[in-house]
Amino acid sequence: MADKFQDIRHRHTTYDRPNEGWVCGAECQGKSCYLGPDAKGKCRAGMKFDGRKSGECLPRRSGDQWQCARVETHGGEPCKEGPLPDGSCCRAIAPCQPTPTLRRVRGILSKVAAVMTVALLVALLAHQPQEGGLGTAAINPGPLTAAHSTLKSNCQQCHSDMQLGPEKLLAMHSANFDHRAIADSQLCLGCHQEIGGNGGRYAFTAHTMDPKKLQAKSKGESRPDPLLRLASYLAGEKTPGAASGSGEQLACGTCHNEHHGLMADLKSFTNRQCQVCHQQQFESFSHGHPDFEAVSYPASRRTRIFFDHLTHYSKHFPEKTKDAAKGVPAGFKADAPHGESLSCAACHASNSSSGTMNVVSYEKACADCHENDTRSGNKLPVIGYPQLDLAALNSKLEAEQKPRSLGTWPADAPNDFPWLILYLLPEDARAAWQRLAAQKVFLHDLASIKQEHVADAERVVWGIKELFRDLCASAPSDTPSGQVGHAEIIRRLVAAGCNEREGLINGLPPDAFDQMREFLGADACMKIMQEVDAFRTKVYPAATPKESVRKPENAAAPAPAVGGENFAPAAPGNASESFGAPAAAAMPPTGGGESFAPPTVKSESFAPAPAPPGGESFGAPAPAAAPPGGESFGAPAPAAAPPAGESFAAPAAAATAPAAVATPRIDPLDRMNWTSSGGWHQEYGTIYYKSTGHADPLLKAWLEHVLEDVRDPLRLATLREGFGFDKGALSPATGHCLKCHTIEERRDQQGQLTGAVINWLAYGKHTSPASSDRPLTRYNHMSHLLAADCRQCHVTLTQPAAGQEYAAAFPGEGSWNAAANWFEKAGLAHFHSNFEQISKTTCAECHTPAKSGDSCLQCHAYHHPAPDGPADMLEWLRSHEAKPAKTGTQRADKRPAAPASGKIKTAAVP
Amino acid sequence: MNFFARRRLRNTLLCLVGMVLAYGLWRMLKVALRPAAIYTGFALLALVLALALFNGRKKLPFLPLLKASSWLQFHIYAGWLSVFMFLLHSGFRLPTGTLETILAVLFVIVALSGVAGLFITRLLPPAITRSGEPLVYERIPRYQHALRTEVEDIVEDAERQSGSTAMGNFYMSTLAPYFQGRSSVFLLAGNPSRHAQRILGQMDEYCRYLDEELVGSMEQLRDCVERKRNLDFQNAAQRLLKLWLFVHIPFTYSLIIVALVHAWVALVYGGRL
């Protein structure tokens, strides 16, 4: 035992208590007392127990005696001296300084650590180096990304108020997790207002679009991947696809995890995360991704501009090349007409910001060949007296109980009905016209008019005369509305429901109407004004001999009638054939059913006038000479020489002046030739407008107006007959606008056709992702053009199948005739591209994980850029693409008017 | 394969299965756009609290709450699992926030000290057994004092027998510092017997000059040196067995406190409360 320390005999072994906090200070000397220190570390040597002082032992009582209780481990056998009489030990021990055990030290250290930790946390949380939160810097889990770095000073900019409660602490279930997250996400919308559409309505739904519409697009296929199925279940979807239509709210933080550093990618998203909600799941882009052919990518909709690549490259450009004319795109090779990729850049320019290939401007791409088309349109009668079967109508009115007539009316109104005046008529007159139109009763042919339509016809006539009367007024006090000129026209347009009122009379010069008034003659105008004023007091012209105003062959020298000798009574019942003869006595002051020739300075003076187009004949009576064919011309023209080959009455001056004194003649202007650049002009008492070229603001405004709601009979009639679309889709009256600019139908929620919008702008920088066919798909031409040329993806379809031609997808000639099929070809989806479908395999050659990557987000965006999220892109486009068109109109309206002087000059030339 | 090997294999497999399950669930939660950090955070906090209960269990030995060895096994393998859960919770990223960094540092300290403790408790006990007589740590000071007293008695006897102070001088110059000093844990860094071997070498050198009758005393002193070597090793090793807990346990308290604050902040600002 000598070489061992421990004696395992129980009498020689002390009972150690390592769990206690203190040990005797004499332990290191092997002299620890048997009592040991107390729990507080106080030495108990000499401590009294029951009044007895302890020493090496605490003697025990045995009967009447005290016996030593010293044990072997602390001193050996009982001492010889024995206990003191009071029971105290006689062998006192020196007190010691107890030492703490390791356990106690460790306990103290743990408490210190805990206290210091709490103190540290309190210090950190109480420290507010920046405003807006408790211990902002301390509890900030990490730097924000660069885009959000300016928000770091205030937590509450992104975190809604902290409202803690027991119920929320207990509600530790994922279903209840999101209410604060949504509240926080609402704060995101303070800056990201574009998310979720108007008011962020769909900001927290899948793809930030209407869940019902999203669900409608779901295919409902089963999920093939059990792991994803489980993930979907964990995501809260009880059934596959539920998330898309369940309306479950997704907080921004669901995908965008902040506080991961300045350079963190907030848009990091894996393909599997995309697919967890999608019905159709697949392994990768090259394995399982839907083919483009199935979704007609990228040409799933009609082009905004009608441009047949095939015909241009196979026909037009080669012809131009032969003629060495301008208009052939640079890079075009006549011997390889379909190698057009070499010349793509002539019309398509890449946009570095959007990554799109935009169509260059009209001036760069089209003007060389098509500029003349935009100016070659027919003139459009805007304001004037329409042709009226005055005799027939007067005869009906004479048979009324109160016989009356229509009073003064120009005898030779042009054949072109100025449809636009229908918008300027009083409401009841317009309603009367609509009733007549419904019964196919037209003013120029009233021979067989039924008695029940007479009142409507009469109202239309008086409505036109009222319009004329009010437009004749030169001061607001002269009209019932208190407005004149443009203001009066705009007032009437507003009453007719026109929103783009200013654009509809864009650039109308005042002297155009002045010339119209002069053309009719002051007396005639005065008579009409008097008749209208009387009509407005319910006094109708008497049923007396019918006359119509005769138009002068030259309105260049209107003059007040002198004695009214230039009026000729018209032949009753055939106003159009009544030509003027001096009839001073026949001029009643407010004659009913009169027709007038324009006043001339002198009855014997006649001036030659050019033959009006279409063989029309105008004229004042020609006392001396009549043109061949029974036509007579008679307008004063001081010294005008007749054009070659035509005969005119000798001018009055010539009859009195010596023939030798030949004064220079000023021929009347041929207005059609004069107005080849378009604009306003007056011709034979009617104000016309002709296209001024590409992007004519007035024609744009009118076309947009009439196409906005084709259910309106007035607009429908204006479109078909006023603009001449009943003669073909490419009405020259509109400057051939719709030859290139395609239209797109608009339908209401019931699918009924309501109107159409015109694609004024080609695909370009104005075309936002929201208005593209697939707003969730993106493709950057810029990055791809570095590695490939256009032909690798866009392969020309040289021989399309029958009925699959590009042009077959657009309204052609004759398709406008019947309202029922106007838009039958205007559907966006009805389209046959000039190019072959792009195959997915073309993209998959490079888009693999090892090469260019195949992340979903490379080609798809999550957030829908459309404000309220479309159910279907085609539907969305139909309802929203009116906006860019209107914007275009507004721009056009604000655009400085085309040189007004030219227009005014054109119109002012008599 | 003995019981311990079987137990180690079984528990390791269970731990690995737990890790795989945790990773799978974490991946699915990430894919499902669920707040994986919330779930892993709660799991991690629960694990840490469960691990901390082991210390409480040791303070309540009277309660029939499984065997301490079972608790230790759970503590070891749940500790490994908590390390993995911590990696999942942090998204395998280094923390960037102040609070998160403090928490991560605390966790790392606790985890590393736990790993160190695991290795210490696995390596030292066999060495203690091999070293010589196993001793109760709390009694070592007493034994050291007794040994010193014994050595002094031997030296006094030798001087008395030889009538020379040579032995006393040798004791004072060489043996006294050795027998009076207490070993530290740094003794374990290197050869724990190096001091004893040095003293024994000196004794051998000195022995050549001693009389025959003093050689016997020197042999007794050699035996005492050997016992002192064992005493020092026992002291250092058992002290180290207790000292690693001085890191592990206090930092665990800090870790739990900071973790609770972190959970509160995360739930409040993360929009989960």
Side-chain angles (χ1 to χ4, degrees), chain A residues 172 177, chain B residues 18-19 21-23 25-26 29 35-52 74 77-90 103 107 255-256 259-260 262-263 267:
Chain A
M172 293 288 187
F177 269 2
Chain B
M19 288 179 182
L21 282 176
Y23 182 76
L25 285 170
W26 177 76
L29 287 168
I38 295 290
Y39 290 100
T40 55
F42 274 120
L44 181 57
L45 183 62
L47 273 175
V48 169
L49 292 175
L51 291 169
F74 170 78
Y77 291 98
W80 287 117
L81 187 59
S82 72
V83 170
F84 185 72
M85 193 65 75
F86 173 79
L87 294 176
L88 293 181
H89 181 62
S90 63
L103 182 59
F107 186 88
L255 173 67
I256 290 172
L260 290 173
H262 165 74
L267 291 174

Short mmCIF file of all heavy atoms in Angstrom, two decimals, chain A residues 172 177, chain B residues 18-19 21-23 25-26 29 35-52 74 77-90 103 107 255-256 259-260 262-263 267:
data_model
loop_
_atom_site.label_atom_id
_atom_site.label_comp_id
_atom_site.label_asym_id
_atom_site.label_seq_id
_atom_site.Cartn_x
_atom_site.Cartn_y
_atom_site.Cartn_z
N MET A 172 -48.13 30.15 -34.16
CA MET A 172 -46.90 29.81 -34.86
C MET A 172 -47.18 28.75 -35.93
O MET A 172 -46.60 27.67 -35.91
CB MET A 172 -45.86 29.29 -33.87
CG MET A 172 -45.39 30.34 -32.91
SD MET A 172 -44.34 31.52 -33.76
CE MET A 172 -43.78 32.49 -32.37
N PHE A 177 -48.40 32.87 -40.69
CA PHE A 177 -47.11 33.55 -40.68
C PHE A 177 -47.12 34.83 -41.51
O PHE A 177 -46.33 35.72 -41.28
CB PHE A 177 -46.04 32.61 -41.24
CG PHE A 177 -45.38 31.79 -40.17
CD1 PHE A 177 -45.77 31.90 -38.85
CD2 PHE A 177 -44.37 30.92 -40.50
CE1 PHE A 177 -45.15 31.14 -37.88
CE2 PHE A 177 -43.75 30.15 -39.53
CZ PHE A 177 -44.14 30.27 -38.22
N GLY B 18 -30.70 11.76 -39.74
CA GLY B 18 -31.30 13.04 -39.33
C GLY B 18 -30.81 14.18 -40.18
O GLY B 18 -31.58 15.07 -40.57
N MET B 19 -29.52 14.16 -40.49
CA MET B 19 -28.96 15.22 -41.34
C MET B 19 -29.55 15.18 -42.74
O MET B 19 -29.90 16.21 -43.31
CB MET B 19 -27.44 15.08 -41.41
CG MET B 19 -26.72 15.45 -40.12
SD MET B 19 -24.95 15.22 -40.30
CE MET B 19 -24.38 15.66 -38.67
N LEU B 21 -32.40 13.92 -43.65
CA LEU B 21 -33.80 14.36 -43.59
C LEU B 21 -33.89 15.87 -43.45
O LEU B 21 -34.71 16.53 -44.11
CB LEU B 21 -34.51 13.68 -42.42
CG LEU B 21 -34.92 12.23 -42.63
CD1 LEU B 21 -35.53 11.67 -41.36
CD2 LEU B 21 -35.93 12.14 -43.78
N ALA B 22 -33.05 16.41 -42.58
CA ALA B 22 -33.08 17.85 -42.38
C ALA B 22 -32.73 18.58 -43.67
O ALA B 22 -33.37 19.57 -44.04
CB ALA B 22 -32.12 18.24 -41.27
N TYR B 23 -31.71 18.06 -44.35
CA TYR B 23 -31.31 18.71 -45.60
C TYR B 23 -32.41 18.60 -46.65
O TYR B 23 -32.72 19.57 -47.36
CB TYR B 23 -30.02 18.09 -46.13
CG TYR B 23 -29.52 18.73 -47.38
CD1 TYR B 23 -28.88 19.96 -47.34
CD2 TYR B 23 -29.71 18.13 -48.62
CE1 TYR B 23 -28.43 20.57 -48.50
CE2 TYR B 23 -29.27 18.73 -49.79
CZ TYR B 23 -28.62 19.96 -49.72
OH TYR B 23 -28.20 20.56 -50.86
N LEU B 25 -35.64 18.27 -46.16
CA LEU B 25 -36.74 19.17 -45.81
C LEU B 25 -36.37 20.62 -46.07
O LEU B 25 -37.18 21.41 -46.55
CB LEU B 25 -37.10 18.98 -44.33
CG LEU B 25 -37.88 17.71 -44.02
CD1 LEU B 25 -37.97 17.52 -42.51
CD2 LEU B 25 -39.28 17.79 -44.62
N TRP B 26 -35.14 20.94 -45.76
CA TRP B 26 -34.68 22.31 -45.99
C TRP B 26 -34.73 22.65 -47.47
O TRP B 26 -35.20 23.71 -47.87
CB TRP B 26 -33.26 22.46 -45.46
CG TRP B 26 -32.64 23.80 -45.69
CD1 TRP B 26 -32.91 24.95 -45.01
CD2 TRP B 26 -31.66 24.14 -46.67
NE1 TRP B 26 -32.14 25.98 -45.51
CE2 TRP B 26 -31.36 25.50 -46.52
CE3 TRP B 26 -31.00 23.41 -47.65
CZ2 TRP B 26 -30.44 26.15 -47.33
CZ3 TRP B 26 -30.08 24.06 -48.45
CH2 TRP B 26 -29.80 25.42 -48.27
N LEU B 29 -38.30 23.03 -48.51
CA LEU B 29 -38.85 24.29 -48.03
C LEU B 29 -38.36 25.45 -48.89
O LEU B 29 -39.11 26.37 -49.19
CB LEU B 29 -38.46 24.52 -46.57
CG LEU B 29 -39.18 23.64 -45.55
CD1 LEU B 29 -38.51 23.75 -44.20
CD2 LEU B 29 -40.64 24.06 -45.43
N PRO B 35 -40.54 29.82 -45.58
CA PRO B 35 -39.44 30.40 -44.82
C PRO B 35 -38.59 29.33 -44.14
O PRO B 35 -38.77 29.01 -42.96
CB PRO B 35 -40.16 31.29 -43.81
CG PRO B 35 -41.51 30.70 -43.65
CD PRO B 35 -41.87 30.10 -44.97
N ALA B 36 -37.70 28.77 -44.90
CA ALA B 36 -36.88 27.67 -44.39
C ALA B 36 -36.08 28.10 -43.18
O ALA B 36 -35.86 27.30 -42.25
CB ALA B 36 -35.95 27.17 -45.50
N ALA B 37 -35.64 29.34 -43.16
CA ALA B 37 -34.84 29.81 -42.03
C ALA B 37 -35.66 29.79 -40.74
O ALA B 37 -35.12 29.56 -39.66
CB ALA B 37 -34.33 31.21 -42.31
N ILE B 38 -36.95 30.01 -40.86
CA ILE B 38 -37.80 29.98 -39.67
C ILE B 38 -37.87 28.56 -39.13
O ILE B 38 -37.70 28.32 -37.93
CB ILE B 38 -39.20 30.50 -40.01
CG1 ILE B 38 -39.15 31.98 -40.40
CG2 ILE B 38 -40.16 30.26 -38.84
CD1 ILE B 38 -38.84 32.90 -39.25
N TYR B 39 -38.10 27.63 -40.01
CA TYR B 39 -38.23 26.24 -39.57
C TYR B 39 -36.91 25.71 -39.03
O TYR B 39 -36.86 25.09 -37.97
CB TYR B 39 -38.71 25.37 -40.74
CG TYR B 39 -40.14 25.65 -41.14
CD1 TYR B 39 -40.43 26.44 -42.24
CD2 TYR B 39 -41.21 25.12 -40.42
CE1 TYR B 39 -41.74 26.71 -42.61
CE2 TYR B 39 -42.51 25.38 -40.79
CZ TYR B 39 -42.78 26.17 -41.87
OH TYR B 39 -44.07 26.44 -42.23
N THR B 40 -35.83 25.95 -39.76
CA THR B 40 -34.54 25.47 -39.28
C THR B 40 -34.14 26.21 -38.01
O THR B 40 -33.48 25.63 -37.14
CB THR B 40 -33.47 25.66 -40.36
OG1 THR B 40 -33.46 27.04 -40.76
CG2 THR B 40 -33.75 24.79 -41.55
N GLY B 41 -34.53 27.46 -37.90
CA GLY B 41 -34.22 28.22 -36.69
C GLY B 41 -34.90 27.63 -35.48
O GLY B 41 -34.28 27.45 -34.41
N PHE B 42 -36.17 27.32 -35.64
CA PHE B 42 -36.89 26.69 -34.52
C PHE B 42 -36.29 25.32 -34.18
O PHE B 42 -36.15 24.96 -33.01
CB PHE B 42 -38.37 26.55 -34.85
CG PHE B 42 -39.16 27.78 -34.54
CD1 PHE B 42 -39.84 28.46 -35.52
CD2 PHE B 42 -39.23 28.27 -33.24
CE1 PHE B 42 -40.58 29.60 -35.23
CE2 PHE B 42 -39.95 29.41 -32.94
CZ PHE B 42 -40.63 30.07 -33.94
N ALA B 43 -35.97 24.58 -35.21
CA ALA B 43 -35.37 23.26 -34.97
C ALA B 43 -34.04 23.38 -34.25
O ALA B 43 -33.74 22.63 -33.32
CB ALA B 43 -35.19 22.53 -36.30
N LEU B 44 -33.25 24.34 -34.67
CA LEU B 44 -31.94 24.53 -34.06
C LEU B 44 -32.09 24.97 -32.61
O LEU B 44 -31.37 24.48 -31.72
CB LEU B 44 -31.16 25.57 -34.86
CG LEU B 44 -29.75 25.90 -34.38
CD1 LEU B 44 -28.91 24.64 -34.33
CD2 LEU B 44 -29.10 26.92 -35.31
N LEU B 45 -33.02 25.88 -32.37
CA LEU B 45 -33.22 26.33 -30.99
C LEU B 45 -33.68 25.18 -30.11
O LEU B 45 -33.22 25.02 -28.97
CB LEU B 45 -34.25 27.46 -30.97
CG LEU B 45 -34.53 28.10 -29.61
CD1 LEU B 45 -33.26 28.74 -29.07
CD2 LEU B 45 -35.64 29.13 -29.72
N ALA B 46 -34.56 24.36 -30.65
CA ALA B 46 -35.03 23.21 -29.88
C ALA B 46 -33.87 22.25 -29.60
O ALA B 46 -33.76 21.69 -28.49
CB ALA B 46 -36.12 22.49 -30.66
N LEU B 47 -33.02 22.05 -30.57
CA LEU B 47 -31.87 21.17 -30.36
C LEU B 47 -30.94 21.71 -29.29
O LEU B 47 -30.46 20.97 -28.43
CB LEU B 47 -31.11 21.01 -31.68
CG LEU B 47 -31.60 19.91 -32.62
CD1 LEU B 47 -30.82 19.97 -33.93
CD2 LEU B 47 -31.40 18.54 -31.98
N VAL B 48 -30.68 23.02 -29.38
CA VAL B 48 -29.77 23.62 -28.39
C VAL B 48 -30.35 23.50 -26.99
O VAL B 48 -29.63 23.15 -26.03
CB VAL B 48 -29.51 25.09 -28.76
CG1 VAL B 48 -28.79 25.81 -27.62
CG2 VAL B 48 -28.68 25.18 -30.03
N LEU B 49 -31.63 23.75 -26.87
CA LEU B 49 -32.25 23.63 -25.55
C LEU B 49 -32.21 22.18 -25.06
O LEU B 49 -31.98 21.92 -23.88
CB LEU B 49 -33.70 24.13 -25.61
CG LEU B 49 -33.85 25.65 -25.83
CD1 LEU B 49 -35.32 26.01 -25.99
CD2 LEU B 49 -33.24 26.42 -24.66
N ALA B 50 -32.44 21.26 -25.96
CA ALA B 50 -32.39 19.85 -25.57
C ALA B 50 -30.99 19.45 -25.16
O ALA B 50 -30.78 18.69 -24.20
CB ALA B 50 -32.85 18.98 -26.74
N LEU B 51 -30.00 19.99 -25.86
CA LEU B 51 -28.62 19.70 -25.48
C LEU B 51 -28.29 20.29 -24.12
O LEU B 51 -27.57 19.69 -23.31
CB LEU B 51 -27.67 20.27 -26.55
CG LEU B 51 -27.71 19.57 -27.91
CD1 LEU B 51 -26.94 20.38 -28.94
CD2 LEU B 51 -27.13 18.18 -27.80
N ALA B 52 -28.83 21.49 -23.91
CA ALA B 52 -28.54 22.14 -22.63
C ALA B 52 -29.20 21.40 -21.46
O ALA B 52 -28.73 21.52 -20.32
CB ALA B 52 -29.02 23.59 -22.67
N PHE B 74 -26.99 11.07 -26.55
CA PHE B 74 -27.89 12.01 -27.23
C PHE B 74 -27.21 13.36 -27.40
O PHE B 74 -27.30 14.00 -28.46
CB PHE B 74 -29.18 12.17 -26.42
CG PHE B 74 -30.05 13.29 -26.91
CD1 PHE B 74 -30.84 13.14 -28.04
CD2 PHE B 74 -30.06 14.52 -26.26
CE1 PHE B 74 -31.63 14.17 -28.50
CE2 PHE B 74 -30.85 15.56 -26.72
CZ PHE B 74 -31.63 15.38 -27.84
N TYR B 77 -24.54 13.24 -30.32
CA TYR B 77 -25.01 13.14 -31.70
C TYR B 77 -26.01 14.24 -32.04
O TYR B 77 -26.05 14.72 -33.17
CB TYR B 77 -25.59 11.74 -31.96
CG TYR B 77 -24.50 10.71 -31.94
CD1 TYR B 77 -24.24 9.95 -30.81
CD2 TYR B 77 -23.69 10.54 -33.05
CE1 TYR B 77 -23.21 9.03 -30.78
CE2 TYR B 77 -22.66 9.62 -33.04
CZ TYR B 77 -22.42 8.87 -31.89
OH TYR B 77 -21.39 7.99 -31.89
N ALA B 78 -26.77 14.66 -31.07
CA ALA B 78 -27.64 15.81 -31.33
C ALA B 78 -26.79 17.06 -31.52
O ALA B 78 -27.19 17.98 -32.25
CB ALA B 78 -28.62 16.00 -30.18
N GLY B 79 -25.64 17.07 -30.86
CA GLY B 79 -24.73 18.20 -31.07
C GLY B 79 -24.24 18.25 -32.50
O GLY B 79 -24.21 19.32 -33.12
N TRP B 80 -23.84 17.09 -33.01
CA TRP B 80 -23.44 17.06 -34.44
C TRP B 80 -24.59 17.51 -35.34
O TRP B 80 -24.39 18.26 -36.29
CB TRP B 80 -23.00 15.64 -34.83
CG TRP B 80 -21.66 15.24 -34.29
CD1 TRP B 80 -21.40 14.24 -33.42
CD2 TRP B 80 -20.39 15.84 -34.59
NE1 TRP B 80 -20.06 14.16 -33.14
CE2 TRP B 80 -19.41 15.14 -33.85
CE3 TRP B 80 -20.01 16.90 -35.39
CZ2 TRP B 80 -18.07 15.48 -33.91
CZ3 TRP B 80 -18.66 17.23 -35.45
CH2 TRP B 80 -17.70 16.53 -34.71
N LEU B 81 -25.77 17.04 -35.01
CA LEU B 81 -26.93 17.42 -35.83
C LEU B 81 -27.19 18.92 -35.74
O LEU B 81 -27.58 19.57 -36.72
CB LEU B 81 -28.17 16.64 -35.35
CG LEU B 81 -29.43 16.78 -36.20
CD1 LEU B 81 -29.18 16.33 -37.63
CD2 LEU B 81 -30.57 15.98 -35.59
N SER B 82 -26.98 19.48 -34.55
CA SER B 82 -27.21 20.92 -34.40
C SER B 82 -26.21 21.72 -35.22
O SER B 82 -26.54 22.78 -35.76
CB SER B 82 -27.15 21.32 -32.93
OG SER B 82 -25.81 21.27 -32.47
N VAL B 83 -24.99 21.20 -35.32
CA VAL B 83 -24.00 21.89 -36.16
C VAL B 83 -24.47 21.91 -37.61
O VAL B 83 -24.42 22.93 -38.30
CB VAL B 83 -22.63 21.19 -36.04
CG1 VAL B 83 -21.66 21.72 -37.08
CG2 VAL B 83 -22.07 21.38 -34.64
N PHE B 84 -24.97 20.78 -38.06
CA PHE B 84 -25.48 20.73 -39.43
C PHE B 84 -26.72 21.63 -39.60
O PHE B 84 -26.87 22.32 -40.61
CB PHE B 84 -25.84 19.29 -39.79
CG PHE B 84 -26.24 19.11 -41.22
CD1 PHE B 84 -25.31 19.18 -42.24
CD2 PHE B 84 -27.57 18.89 -41.56
CE1 PHE B 84 -25.68 19.03 -43.56
CE2 PHE B 84 -27.95 18.74 -42.87
CZ PHE B 84 -27.00 18.80 -43.87
N MET B 85 -27.56 21.62 -38.58
CA MET B 85 -28.75 22.46 -38.65
C MET B 85 -28.37 23.95 -38.67
O MET B 85 -29.01 24.76 -39.32
CB MET B 85 -29.65 22.17 -37.44
CG MET B 85 -31.05 22.74 -37.56
SD MET B 85 -31.99 22.02 -38.90
CE MET B 85 -32.40 20.45 -38.21
N PHE B 86 -27.29 24.25 -37.95
CA PHE B 86 -26.81 25.63 -37.97
C PHE B 86 -26.37 26.04 -39.37
O PHE B 86 -26.66 27.15 -39.83
CB PHE B 86 -25.65 25.76 -36.98
CG PHE B 86 -24.96 27.09 -37.03
CD1 PHE B 86 -25.52 28.20 -36.40
CD2 PHE B 86 -23.76 27.25 -37.70
CE1 PHE B 86 -24.89 29.42 -36.44
CE2 PHE B 86 -23.13 28.48 -37.75
CZ PHE B 86 -23.70 29.56 -37.12
N LEU B 87 -25.70 25.14 -40.04
CA LEU B 87 -25.28 25.44 -41.42
C LEU B 87 -26.49 25.64 -42.31
O LEU B 87 -26.52 26.54 -43.17
CB LEU B 87 -24.41 24.30 -41.95
CG LEU B 87 -23.06 24.13 -41.25
CD1 LEU B 87 -22.33 22.91 -41.80
CD2 LEU B 87 -22.20 25.38 -41.44
N LEU B 88 -27.51 24.81 -42.13
CA LEU B 88 -28.73 24.99 -42.93
C LEU B 88 -29.39 26.32 -42.60
O LEU B 88 -29.85 27.04 -43.49
CB LEU B 88 -29.71 23.85 -42.65
CG LEU B 88 -29.32 22.45 -43.10
CD1 LEU B 88 -30.44 21.47 -42.76
CD2 LEU B 88 -29.05 22.42 -44.59
N HIS B 89 -29.44 26.61 -41.32
CA HIS B 89 -30.12 27.84 -40.90
C HIS B 89 -29.42 29.07 -41.46
O HIS B 89 -30.09 30.03 -41.88
CB HIS B 89 -30.16 27.89 -39.37
CG HIS B 89 -30.85 29.10 -38.83
ND1 HIS B 89 -32.18 29.36 -39.07
CD2 HIS B 89 -30.40 30.13 -38.08
CE1 HIS B 89 -32.53 30.49 -38.48
NE2 HIS B 89 -31.47 30.98 -37.87
N SER B 90 -28.11 29.03 -41.47
CA SER B 90 -27.39 30.19 -41.99
C SER B 90 -27.32 30.18 -43.51
O SER B 90 -26.82 31.13 -44.10
CB SER B 90 -25.96 30.20 -41.42
OG SER B 90 -25.26 29.06 -41.87
N LEU B 103 -24.07 35.69 -32.37
CA LEU B 103 -24.71 34.39 -32.17
C LEU B 103 -23.90 33.28 -32.84
O LEU B 103 -23.70 32.20 -32.26
CB LEU B 103 -26.13 34.43 -32.73
CG LEU B 103 -26.97 33.18 -32.58
CD1 LEU B 103 -27.12 32.82 -31.12
CD2 LEU B 103 -28.35 33.39 -33.21
N PHE B 107 -22.10 30.16 -31.08
CA PHE B 107 -22.41 28.78 -31.45
C PHE B 107 -21.14 28.03 -31.81
O PHE B 107 -20.95 26.87 -31.43
CB PHE B 107 -23.40 28.75 -32.62
CG PHE B 107 -23.86 27.36 -32.96
CD1 PHE B 107 -24.96 26.81 -32.32
CD2 PHE B 107 -23.18 26.60 -33.90
CE1 PHE B 107 -25.38 25.53 -32.62
CE2 PHE B 107 -23.60 25.32 -34.20
CZ PHE B 107 -24.70 24.78 -33.55
N LEU B 255 -25.23 31.62 -25.45
CA LEU B 255 -25.81 31.22 -26.73
C LEU B 255 -27.33 31.17 -26.66
O LEU B 255 -28.02 31.67 -27.55
CB LEU B 255 -25.26 29.85 -27.13
CG LEU B 255 -25.89 29.21 -28.36
CD1 LEU B 255 -25.55 30.00 -29.61
CD2 LEU B 255 -25.43 27.76 -28.52
N ILE B 256 -27.86 30.59 -25.61
CA ILE B 256 -29.32 30.47 -25.51
C ILE B 256 -29.96 31.85 -25.39
O ILE B 256 -30.98 32.14 -26.04
CB ILE B 256 -29.68 29.60 -24.28
CG1 ILE B 256 -29.27 28.15 -24.57
CG2 ILE B 256 -31.16 29.68 -23.97
CD1 ILE B 256 -29.41 27.23 -23.37
N ALA B 259 -29.70 33.55 -28.72
CA ALA B 259 -30.57 32.85 -29.68
C ALA B 259 -32.03 33.24 -29.49
O ALA B 259 -32.78 33.41 -30.47
CB ALA B 259 -30.40 31.34 -29.55
N LEU B 260 -32.43 33.37 -28.25
CA LEU B 260 -33.82 33.77 -27.99
C LEU B 260 -34.07 35.18 -28.50
O LEU B 260 -35.12 35.46 -29.10
CB LEU B 260 -34.12 33.67 -26.49
CG LEU B 260 -34.20 32.24 -25.95
CD1 LEU B 260 -34.33 32.26 -24.43
CD2 LEU B 260 -35.37 31.49 -26.56
N HIS B 262 -32.42 36.66 -30.87
CA HIS B 262 -32.37 36.56 -32.34
C HIS B 262 -33.70 36.03 -32.89
O HIS B 262 -34.21 36.54 -33.89
CB HIS B 262 -31.22 35.65 -32.74
CG HIS B 262 -31.28 35.18 -34.16
ND1 HIS B 262 -30.98 36.00 -35.23
CD2 HIS B 262 -31.62 33.98 -34.70
CE1 HIS B 262 -31.13 35.32 -36.35
NE2 HIS B 262 -31.52 34.09 -36.07
N ALA B 263 -34.24 35.04 -32.24
CA ALA B 263 -35.52 34.49 -32.70
C ALA B 263 -36.61 35.54 -32.60
O ALA B 263 -37.43 35.69 -33.52
CB ALA B 263 -35.88 33.27 -31.86
N LEU B 267 -38.48 36.94 -35.85
CA LEU B 267 -39.91 36.75 -36.00
C LEU B 267 -40.64 38.08 -36.12
O LEU B 267 -41.60 38.21 -36.89
CB LEU B 267 -40.47 35.95 -34.83
CG LEU B 267 -40.03 34.48 -34.78
CD1 LEU B 267 -40.51 33.82 -33.51
CD2 LEU B 267 -40.57 33.75 -36.00
#
